[in-house]
Every structure is written in structure tokens, then in C-alpha cells.
């Protein structure tokens, strides 16, 4: 995950992590699709020659191995996000949290409505935090960015409150402790009867 967040190509990531290249490709694919599923990656394209692509973005996509019609959207979404060059530490933190909220990468997420709302709220918070970080960098270099930084700060605080509210909703609706074990036993009994 750290290599992915740092935008390290799969070949170099395999060498750094001591894994096979196929394993890294598989994990990168799972991460990429999980971020699309969570709506962290919002933009994509069905073709490398999409009109809204910068020339260097097109060149970057052409260098990727094995792009086909079934995976071009995911690679384009990833390339568009990586083009922004968000700070890798912040991206890694959000990546870990999104995976924690959706479950293991090798299993398709099965989220309740409350969990889906919490995930959406977290993704909005993550995107707001990335924009805030960029605004902070710009405001340090140029005073005219100060009003935008203030709006970005307010947006981060609002999205964090929305995420906390959604998390509390999950806590209220999801069974915990004894109740969770009771619900699990009831499901097992109903499966046995059927």
C-alpha cells in the first residue's frame, strides 16, 4: 500500500517489497478498483485518447503494460488522480482508512446502508483534506490564496463532522458485543433450519 500511495511503478514496488511482479500487479488492481468503488477516484476515461487528457497523461497511460478495454477506466482514473501529485503520506492514510471501512481487498465489500453512508462521508472528508493541503501550500507561497484556504479549512471541518455523524449512525444501527453474537447465532440457526 505504501508503494501504491507513493506512486511507485509495479516493477520497482515488487523489488522493494520482495514480492513477485504478478502479486504486485494483482494488489495494485485490487487497490485501484476499491478506490473506484469507494468513489475516491471520481474521474476516468474509456479511452487513452480522451479529449480531457493532458499530453503527458496520455504518454503515461501508453507506457502502462497490458491496458485493455476492461481496465482502461481504472488506469485512467488512477492516472488522473496521480497527476495531481497529492502528498503520499496523506494518500496512504486515506487509503488505509478506506480499506478498513470496506474490508479486505480480496473480498467484495458487503456494506449496510449506514456503512455506505459512512464510507461516502469519509471519502468526501479525504478529498477535502487533500484540497486543503494544496491550498495551504499555495497560501504559504502567495497571500492571495488565503481566502481559499479559509474556505478549504471550513470544508474539512464540515466533512469531518459529517463523517463523525455517519460513524455514530453505524454504531447505533450495527449490533455490538453480546447483541452481535446473538444476531450471528440467530442467522446460523435460520440457515440450519433452511
Amino acid at each position: 500500500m505504501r508503494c501504491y500511495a507513493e506512486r511507485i511503478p509495479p516493477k520497482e514496488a515488487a523489488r522493494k517489497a520482495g514480492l513477485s511482479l504478478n502479486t504486485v500487479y494483482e494488489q495494485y488492481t485490487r487497490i485501484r478498483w476499491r478506490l473506484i468503488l469507494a468513489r475516491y477516484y471520481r474521474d476516468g476515461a474509456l479511452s487513452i485518447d480522451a479529449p480531457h487528457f493532458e499530453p503527458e497523461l496520455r504518454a503515461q497511460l501508453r507506457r502502462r503494460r497490458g491496458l485493455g478495454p476492461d481496465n482502461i477506466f481504472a488506469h485512467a482514473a488512477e492516472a488522473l488522480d496521480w497527476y495531481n501529485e497529492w502528498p503520499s503520506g496523506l494518500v496512504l492514510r486515506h487509503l488505509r482508512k478506506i480499506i478498513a471501512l470496506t474490508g479486505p481487498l480480496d473480498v467484495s465489500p458487503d456494506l449496510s446502508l449506514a456503512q455506505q453512508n459512512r464510507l461516502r462521508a469519509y471519502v468526501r472528508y479525504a478529498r477535502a483534506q487533500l484540497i486543503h493541503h494544496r491550498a495551504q501550500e499555495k497560501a504559504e507561497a502567495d497571500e492571495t490564496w488565503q481566502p481559499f484556504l479559509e474556505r478549504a479549512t471550513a470544508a474539512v471541518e464540515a466533512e469531518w463532522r459529517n463523517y463523525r455523524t455517519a460513524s455514530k449512525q453505524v454504531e447505533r444501527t450495527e449490533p455490538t458485543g453480546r447483541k452481535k453474537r446473538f444476531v450471528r447465532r440467530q442467522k446460523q440457526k435460520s440457515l440450519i433450519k433452511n
Side-chain angles (χ1 to χ4, degrees), residues 8-186:
I8 296 174
K11 195 172 187 178
E12 190 180 331
R15 187 180 47 74
K16 273 184 131 177
L19 299 168
S20 74
L21 186 57
N22 287 342
T23 301
V24 172
Y25 274 127
E26 185 178 321
Q27 291 304 319
Y28 271 33
T29 300
R30 286 176 175 171
I31 292 169
R32 196 177 295 124
W33 280 107
R34 184 58 58 91
L35 292 176
I36 288 171
L37 181 76
R39 296 184 184 147
Y40 180 82
Y41 288 161
R42 295 174 293 184
D43 298 323
L46 300 175
S47 162
I48 292 175
D49 299 316
H52 63 286
F53 278 178
E54 301 284 329
E56 57 258 21
L57 199 56
R58 260 190 218 110
Q60 185 187 61
L61 278 171
R62 285 196 173 99
R63 284 193 297 270
R64 293 190 180 204
R65 249 182 41 177
L67 280 186
D70 58 333
N71 60 6
I72 183 67
F73 183 86
H75 281 272
E78 177 186 82
L80 282 164
D81 195 69
W82 286 10
Y83 188 70
N84 288 312
E85 295 184 0
W86 304 115
S88 61
L90 199 53
V91 171
L92 179 62
R93 186 170 58 191
H94 294 316
L95 176 61
R96 285 182 173 154
K97 184 66 176 180
I98 288 169
I99 291 171
L101 290 173
T102 57
L105 286 173
D106 59 343
V107 177
S108 184
D110 182 26
L111 304 176
S112 69
L113 183 60
Q115 290 170 329
Q116 289 173 24
N117 290 337
R118 177 179 63 182
L119 176 62
R120 281 191 212 106
Y122 183 79
V123 169
R124 285 192 306 270
Y125 164 70
R127 300 307 292 190
Q129 198 174 36
L130 291 172
I131 291 166
H132 177 266
H133 183 273
R134 181 68 43 84
Q136 205 169 20
E137 287 178 343
K138 297 279 190 184
E140 287 172 6
D142 184 1
E143 289 278 326
T144 60
W145 279 82
Q146 199 59 39
F148 182 72
L149 176 60
E150 290 168 8
R151 287 195 306 273
T153 303
V156 167
E157 291 168 0
E159 294 302 345
W160 177 251
R161 283 192 302 274
N162 291 341
Y163 168 68
R164 290 301 309 144
T165 301
S167 294
K168 287 177 184 174
Q169 184 65 32
V170 168
E171 290 169 9
R172 281 193 291 267
T173 59
E174 301 293 316
T176 58
R178 283 187 188 177
K179 191 175 179 183
K180 194 174 194 175
R181 287 191 295 275
F182 175 75
V183 169
R184 196 177 317 130
R185 273 190 254 123
Q186 294 297 353

